Amino acid sequence: MSGRWLFALPLAMLVIMAGFFGYALTQNRNPADIGTALVGKPAPVVDLAPLRDGAPRLSSADWKGHVTVVSFFASWCAPCQIEHPLLLRLARDGVRVHGINYRNKPDEAKAWLAKLGDPYERIGVDADGRGGVEFGISGIPETLVIDKSGVIRLHLRRPLTPADVTDAILPLLKELAK
């Protein structure tokens, strides 16, 4: 009699796990909306080799004194291609945009930018993904807005949408420019 309840234990665990997963799947949670612990904190220190031959390196010192949009991208990333026109638009509108070429062969990134257009004032090469780790990147594309003091003000963990640009990024840039 004392050990009979042990036969029901796996069934009880299965019911509890099914309830947990069922609850999680029905709450309309979007993993892309997960925030980042770095918002409101100084951008990590990075010093990346330039993508363009003869161009200056990209370092965290470049973000001091300027409001900057930083985009992690790669030529092999299909969502990066989808959001690319929005980055071109930002650059065309005078927004300072820096790129971090994430785990991508430089020659492939250069060809990709030559084909699609290059919105980046500076591009650093993060060949081993170490810079991405410092920024807490979970995938690409991801976009950050860094204020004049080098503090991260926005971190989007998804491809940019037109609504992101008009409703979040441009108003934030306007506020940070004051």
Side-chain angles (χ1 to χ4, degrees):
M1 172 88 183
S2 64
R4 294 181 82 181
W5 65 274
L6 288 175
F7 293 109
L9 187 58
L11 180 61
M13 294 300 293
L14 181 65
V15 169
I16 291 170
M17 289 176 57
F20 173 77
F21 288 120
Y23 173 79
L25 290 173
T26 59
Q27 297 303 306
N28 292 329
R29 293 181 180 178
N30 185 350
D33 292 335
I34 295 172
T36 175
L38 293 179
V39 171
K41 296 183 178 169
V45 174
V46 293
D47 183 26
L48 302 171
L51 178 67
R52 299 182 197 103
D53 298 330
R57 299 178 70 83
L58 176 65
S59 77
S60 45
D62 295 321
W63 302 321
K64 299 264 172 109
H66 306 277
V67 177
T68 308
V69 172
V70 177
S71 171
F72 281 77
F73 75 97
S75 64
W76 47 260
C77 164
C80 297
Q81 188 168 351
I82 293 169
E83 75 166 15
H84 199 73
L86 296 169
L87 293 167
L88 288 167
R89 179 180 139 204
L90 286 171
R92 193 173 41 249
D93 291 346
V95 173
R96 189 171 198 246
V97 182
H98 286 175
I100 297 180
N101 182 34
Y102 183 74
R103 294 183 166 217
N104 193 188
K105 294 178 181 173
D107 288 340
E108 292 176 5
K110 289 176 189 174
W112 190 76
L113 291 170
K115 177 181 171 189
L116 299 177
D118 186 350
Y120 304 112
E121 181 182 302
R122 286 191 185 197
I123 306 171
V125 176
D126 186 16
D128 61 3
R130 190 173 191 85
V133 170
E134 294 293 327
F135 276 90
I137 299 300
S138 60
I140 58 170
E142 292 194 18
T143 304
L144 301 103
V145 174
I146 300 175
D147 72 12
K148 294 177 185 177
S149 61
V151 173
I152 296 172
R153 295 305 186 142
L154 178 71
H155 184 170
L156 297 173
R157 294 181 180 273
R158 61 179 180 266
L160 289 178
T161 65
D164 290 330
V165 172
T166 58
D167 299 341
I169 292 176
L170 290 176
L172 180 60
L173 294 176
K174 187 176 180 180
E175 177 187 326
L176 295 174
K178 294 178 184 174

